Amino acid sequence: MRMYDLIMKKRNGGALTRQEIRFMVEGFTAGKIPDYQMSAMMMAIWFVGMNEEETLHLTMAMAESGEMLDLSAIRETKADKHSTGGVGDKTSLALAPMVAACGVKIAKMSGRGLGHTGGTIDKLESFEGFSTDISTERFIRNVNEVGMSIMGQTRELAPADKLLYALRDVTATVDNMSLIASSIMSKKLAAGADVIVLDVKTGSGAFMKKQEDAFALAREMVRLGKNAGRKTIAVISDMDQPLGNAVGNALEVKEAIETLKGRGPRDFTELCLTLGAWMLLLSGKASSQEEGREKLWETIRDGRALAKLAEFVTAQGGDGETVYHPERLPQASLTREVLSPADGYVERLICDEVGIASLLLGGGRETRESVIDLSVGILLERKVGAAVKKGQRLALLHGNDPEKLSAAHDRLLGAFQIGSMQRQEGPVILGVVED
Ligand code: URA
């Protein structure tokens, strides 16, 4: 078999067989197929597309390109949640303790932020001493003993995807449905959970700007999960404006803590309850959405979810007491207000622009090597639909550098569209894909 022939076949509109996809993925992972041939193949796929069979073979070949995590030492059902990424998305921080407090084992692999979207690992590192760089043995022990653990992606997990993603990132081949679905699902399948709840974002801050694309991606991923024998569903949620009010690592941790005390923003709380209820339902801990939601609320009311977060942070080397003393989280030295330029309503809040404003403060990564400032970020005080008078505060920036604050201020101001039309704030949950 020759890679040249496979590129030609795909370029000419053909469908690759399982053997051909295996040859390509295994050869590329072993360094036998050079980047330039794989880049040509990715571009051919981008133009021609892949059918369902091909996408499934690509997913399984990438999942099996490295270690398939064996979680059989955890006897009960293991659940994982994955978000396709957004701005202010601190869902795992609140959701995982709530679900774990209901008795579902959470075994989760998370990533770092890149570009305008944040990552769970960075957020968790706001807890002094916390580490996700733990061995698989410790990960399994923590899931068994604490009920939840979050680790960084190991080098051995789906290495083909890691190499391929880096290539796609620089060859304008990220935004293809089959490639995104196989990339995400290869990692989820290799990470070993029995229940996979996907949070597929749509809107200006998401990969999938259009709802129909988000639904199509969700259907594709659910199909891949089910094909591999995992209980999988996808919730489609809004990312046309940031989730909750806080954007920035330590500020988001604080908001997640507030949510576990029952004082979270409406949209964020609703998303956590919906995703969490699905996790309980698929794990057999609830028989309906309503029962699931009620059980989750109970963990907030009686403090079990907050205690679970503290226990989890402590078990991974962090200062768990911070959960009860959020003032110990990293704090920026300066603040700057963003004021409304006119009377009216917030008609739009351009989501990725808010993410970029946080990035400009130093809260995100321009490149994989960037060091981020955990203390900086944005607290939004008005979101879509809110009435505002000229000179009233729209948001408060937290930063450590006056120049960065100034750049972020201008960017964030540009993200707010103030006009005379009062738009209703839309629902955060846009749909569910079960099969
Ligand atoms: N996230 C991934 O892990 N892979 C993609 O291709 C896109 C988003």
Side-chain angles (χ1 to χ4, degrees):
M1 213 179 278
R2 289 196 318 153
M3 186 63 180
Y4 180 92
D5 298 328
L6 303 190
I7 297 169
M8 179 112 86
K9 183 177 181 185
K10 183 43 79 182
R11 189 201 70 182
N12 292 344
L16 301 173
T17 65
R18 179 177 182 277
Q19 287 75 10
E20 287 167 341
I21 289 173
R22 289 259 156 191
F23 167 83
M24 167 178 105
V25 171
E26 285 165 17
F28 181 59
T29 312
K32 292 185 202 149
I33 291 172
D35 281 1
Y36 51 82
Q37 283 192 313
M38 202 54 165
S39 303
M41 175 61 92
M42 290 298 111
M43 194 54 89
I45 292 174
W46 193 92
F47 276 108
V48 175
M50 283 184 125
N51 64 30
E52 289 190 358
E53 286 285 291
E54 289 176 289
T55 310
L56 176 64
H57 296 320
L58 179 61
T59 306
M60 294 317 294
M62 291 204 296
E64 289 164 10
S65 65
E67 178 191 16
M68 296 286 283
L69 215 61
D70 177 9
L71 299 183
S72 56
I74 305 164
R75 279 165 303 282
E76 291 121 296
T77 305
K78 282 90 43 191
D80 191 356
K81 189 269 320 177
H82 180 82
S83 151
T84 56
V87 178
D89 186 4
K90 70 284 295 176
T91 308
S92 295
L93 303 177
L95 172 67
M98 284 159 73
V99 175
C102 290
V104 174
K105 301 289 188 201
I106 304 288
K108 181 159 172 46
M109 293 231 176
S110 289
R112 293 189 182 275
L114 187 66
H116 72 275
T117 63
T120 302
I121 294 186
D122 297 322
K123 291 168 201 185
L124 282 167
E125 285 176 354
S126 301
F127 290 104
E128 172 96 46
F130 186 93
S131 176
T132 52
D133 188 14
I134 56 174
S135 65
T136 306
E137 293 71 37
R138 184 158 165 214
F139 176 68
I140 290 173
R141 194 170 66 237
N142 284 3
V143 176
N144 267 329
E145 291 173 4
V146 178
M148 66 177 282
S149 186
I150 297 181
M151 74 189 284
Q153 236 136 47
T154 64
R155 227 170 311 209
E156 299 80 41
L157 193 99
D161 173 63
K162 202 166 200 164
L163 294 168
L164 212 47
Y165 192 82
L167 203 61
R168 289 166 54 215
D169 210 16
V170 292
T171 55
T173 51
V174 168
D175 55 341
N176 171 276
M177 196 79 73
S178 293
L179 294 178
I180 295 177
S182 56
S183 166
I184 292 174
M185 290 309 288
S186 64
K187 286 173 284 202
K188 291 290 110 184
L189 298 180
D194 314 297
V195 166
I196 301 170
V197 172
L198 300 161
D199 178 12
V200 180
K201 306 285 193 193
T202 182
S204 65
F207 257 118
M208 296 291 150
K209 308 282 180 215
K210 292 195 256 162
Q211 267 197 45
E212 65 255 38
D213 291 343
F215 274 93
L217 177 64
R219 279 193 295 272
E220 186 77 62
M221 293 198 291
V222 168
R223 190 179 63 81
L224 292 169
K226 289 196 165 168
N227 241 306
R230 315 296 171 89
K231 290 185 181 168
T232 312
I233 67 113
V235 169
I236 318 298
S237 71
D238 179 62
M239 195 32 82
D240 209 37
Q241 64 173 337
L243 183 63
N245 302 325
V247 178
N249 295 287
L251 293 174
E252 290 187 40
V253 171
K254 211 178 237 179
E255 188 163 84
I257 291 171
E258 282 301 301
T259 303
L260 292 181
K261 291 177 182 166
R263 303 196 291 248
R266 186 200 57 79
D267 58 348
F268 178 56
T269 305
E270 174 59 24
L271 182 64
C272 288
L273 290 174
T274 304
L275 294 169
W278 276 110
M279 292 171 92
L280 297 191
L281 211 56
L282 296 186
S283 304
K285 300 282 182 194
S287 51
S288 65
Q289 266 281 324
E290 294 65 39
E291 192 196 343
R293 290 169 76 94
E294 185 45 42
K295 282 191 166 179
L296 293 164
W297 258 119
E298 196 56 39
T299 71
I300 290 178
R301 273 196 294 269
D302 64 15
R304 271 183 299 141
L306 202 61
K308 188 55 75 184
L309 178 63
E311 192 186 352
F312 154 68
V313 169
T314 305
Q316 291 193 209
D319 175 16
E321 278 299 299
T322 303
V323 165
Y324 301 103
H325 298 279
E327 69 281 1
R328 291 188 194 172
L329 288 164
Q331 301 216 27
S333 55
L334 304 169
T335 55
R336 179 150 176 202
E337 295 178 305
V338 177
L339 304 177
S340 178
D343 289 352
Y345 299 97
V346 179
E347 288 185 352
R348 256 200 99 190
L349 179 49
I350 306 168
C351 195
D352 42 5
E353 287 295 308
V354 179
I356 292 167
S358 177
L359 188 83
L360 292 175
L361 287 167
R365 270 186 201 83
E366 305 263 10
T367 68
R368 274 177 219 282
E369 285 70 40
S370 309
V371 175
I372 60 175
D373 185 342
L374 296 170
S375 69
V376 303
I378 299 163
L379 286 178
L380 299 165
E381 297 188 9
R382 288 192 164 69
K383 291 178 57 176
V384 173
V388 66
K389 293 254 176 274
K390 185 174 177 188
Q392 271 186 342
R393 203 148 89 183
L394 296 169
L396 188 64
L397 299 168
H398 291 242
N400 290 309
D401 176 329
E403 271 181 31
K404 289 183 180 173
L405 274 165
S406 203
H409 171 275
D410 296 352
R411 196 84 188 213
L412 187 58
L413 190 56
F416 278 95
Q417 287 180 9
I418 310 294
S420 57
M421 192 177 67
Q422 185 171 25
R423 262 185 59 191
Q424 288 294 333
E425 194 183 353
V428 68
I429 308 294
L430 302 170
V432 177
V433 172
E434 293 183 64
D435 47 31

